[in-house]
Structures are given as C-alpha cells and as structure tokens.
Amino acid sequence: MYLEQGLNTENEVLSLLDEILSLNGRSAEFSLNTPLLGAIPELDSMAVVALITSFEDRFGFTVDDDEIEGSTFATLGSLIAFVDAKLAS
C-alpha cells in the first residue's frame, strides 16, 4: 500500500511527469503553481492517459472517466491534490 511504502506524493507525481513526458529532469524546477495542461507541449491527451494509468499502478487506486477534468491537470498543485484526494478515499 502507498502509505506503508512512505512515498511522498509530490515527489512521485514529479517523477512520473518527468518519466512519462520525457522531460529529462525539467520537472525538478516545477513548483505547485507551475501550469501543466496547455503549458507543457508534451502533455497531450495520450500523455494524460499514460499518467492516469501510471498513477493507478503506482498508488493503487482507480480513476473513473468522469473524475478527470481539465482542471485536474491545470497545475502541479492541482494534480497532486487530485492524487492526495484519491489516496484519502
């Protein structure tokens, strides 16, 4: 389980962003206010699907289609908040 592994949500989300989007370490410069969707060319619809699948695998939760909105991927902070909310439920 996620909490038993002692993982940090922000670090894990940044790691997955860097890996899935092939950012080559650029995510290390991201803050919670860093815009994602529409601001990072690599974050297209296919990357969103890959990220969601990776979140499900890494964190052990399921994301329903109706749970995903553009606002979820607006900023790094909104994406982390989404993951944290899924982990809390």
Side-chain angles (χ1 to χ4, degrees):
M1 181 179 190
Y2 168 74
L3 295 175
E4 293 173 351
Q5 295 173 355
L7 302 175
N8 176 288
T9 306
E10 182 175 351
N11 289 342
E12 291 298 310
V13 169
L14 284 169
S15 174
L16 285 171
L17 280 169
D18 207 72
E19 178 184 329
I20 302 289
L21 304 181
S22 300
L23 297 177
N24 300 317
R26 287 189 353 229
S27 68
E29 300 172 11
F30 291 1
S31 72
L32 294 178
N33 296 322
T34 298
L36 299 177
L37 197 60
I40 299 176
E42 296 90 346
L43 187 58
D44 59 14
S45 59
M46 294 302 293
V48 167
V49 171
L51 277 169
I52 292 168
T53 301
S54 295
F55 291 155
E56 290 175 331
D57 292 345
R58 178 80 51 100
F59 296 110
F61 57 69
T62 302
V63 179
D64 295 325
D65 291 341
D66 62 351
E67 292 181 283
I68 298 299
E69 301 173 354
S71 61
T72 302
F73 288 87
T75 66
L76 176 60
S78 64
L79 189 55
I80 292 169
F82 174 78
V83 172
D84 281 339
K86 291 297 293 181
L87 290 170
S89 62

